[in-house]
Amino acid sequence: YKTEAIASMTMGTYTKIFLQFPQKFWFDTEFALYADSERGRYPVWQSLDKEGFLPGSGIIFVTVTGDYSERIEALSDTEVEEETMGVLRTMYPNITIPEPLDFKFPRWFNDPLYRGSYSNWPPSFVRQHHDNLRANVGRLYFAGEGTSQDYYGYLHGAYFEGRDIAKMVAKCVNGNGCVSLQRYEEVKNTVPY
């Protein structure tokens, strides 16, 4: 049951590409959208050089997801930097944009410890799969954002799950009863959510 639950889960990839410039030259809002004929090509831009974030930092980032995240992870840093700079220069054709002082982005999809940015329930993943993913195997308990019913894929999901499982383990260690979490030997895709 545990192997099936793990194998049934997929990973989503959400990549933020950070660029730092000597000074801000872009939009004054928090977000800007870029429309391109190629789906997913550097569409969502966010300024960190804004009151309430990191004013004066000269930092802007762009978010790509899914297949486009996987595509850029296959490119060199130089190629990704050239592409993002090309988009910025298209967005601001009347401004001479300098080369960035710094450029960074994580490669979550290619990292063998992660293989993506967050857990993602595929269409065939049902509540019974989730319960099996969360279920303990003997004295081995599982917790993380992927085991959260309400907040899978998010940091606070990992926090809440870790806290809840830690409380269960502490009760067990202190002799106050060990809890076995619900699991299903056979998953049926015909039950309501």
Side-chain angles (χ1 to χ4, degrees):
Y1 71 94
K2 182 60 78 176
T3 306
E4 179 192 16
I6 292 169
S8 296
M9 178 66 80
T10 61
M11 292 296 290
T13 306
Y14 186 98
T15 305
K16 295 178 181 180
I17 304 162
F18 295 86
L19 299 100
Q20 183 175 28
F21 293 93
Q23 63 186 27
K24 179 180 171 181
F25 58 83
W26 52 85
F27 47 92
D28 290 323
T29 58
E30 185 178 339
F31 293 98
L33 299 177
Y34 171 71
D36 192 275
S37 60
E38 184 180 357
R39 181 183 167 102
R41 187 169 190 268
Y42 308 106
V44 181
W45 293 79
Q46 186 173 353
S47 176
L48 292 181
D49 192 335
K50 182 167 176 46
E51 198 61 42
F53 291 98
L54 299 170
S57 66
I59 299 174
I60 187 172
F61 70 89
V62 60
T63 300
V64 296
T65 61
D67 292 342
Y68 213 85
S69 286
E70 293 175 23
R71 177 195 165 275
I72 67 164
E73 285 196 29
L75 301 176
S76 69
D77 283 0
T78 302
E79 290 171 308
V80 175
E81 183 177 337
E82 287 172 0
E83 285 188 3
T84 56
M85 289 300 294
V87 169
L88 279 173
R89 290 183 174 125
T90 298
M91 291 170 70
Y92 297 96
N94 299 324
I95 297 175
T96 302
I97 300 175
E99 292 302 312
L101 301 172
D102 204 0
F103 170 86
K104 294 208 182 306
F105 76 97
R107 294 176 187 268
W108 294 110
F109 179 73
N110 287 327
D111 189 318
L113 296 177
Y114 300 101
R115 296 292 187 211
S117 310
Y118 60 93
S119 62
N120 186 42
W121 288 26
S124 62
F125 196 81
V126 296
R127 176 63 190 260
Q128 292 172 338
H129 284 117
H130 178 264
D131 288 342
N132 284 350
L133 185 66
R134 190 171 189 260
N136 58 299
V137 176
R139 295 183 344 174
L140 177 61
Y141 287 81
F142 297 81
E145 54 82 21
T147 63
S148 173
Q149 174 70 32
D150 297 323
Y151 305 111
Y152 64 90
Y154 292 96
L155 177 62
H156 49 292
Y159 171 80
F160 292 139
E161 282 294 296
R163 181 194 62 194
D164 294 348
I165 295 297
K167 286 178 184 177
M168 286 183 219
V169 170
K171 279 179 70 176
C172 183
V173 168
N174 290 325
N176 295 326
C178 298
V179 175
S180 286
L181 299 173
Q182 183 173 11
R183 67 182 175 90
Y184 298 89
E185 289 300 325
E186 183 180 2
V187 174
K188 298 178 181 174
N189 289 340
T190 58
V191 296
Y193 182 71

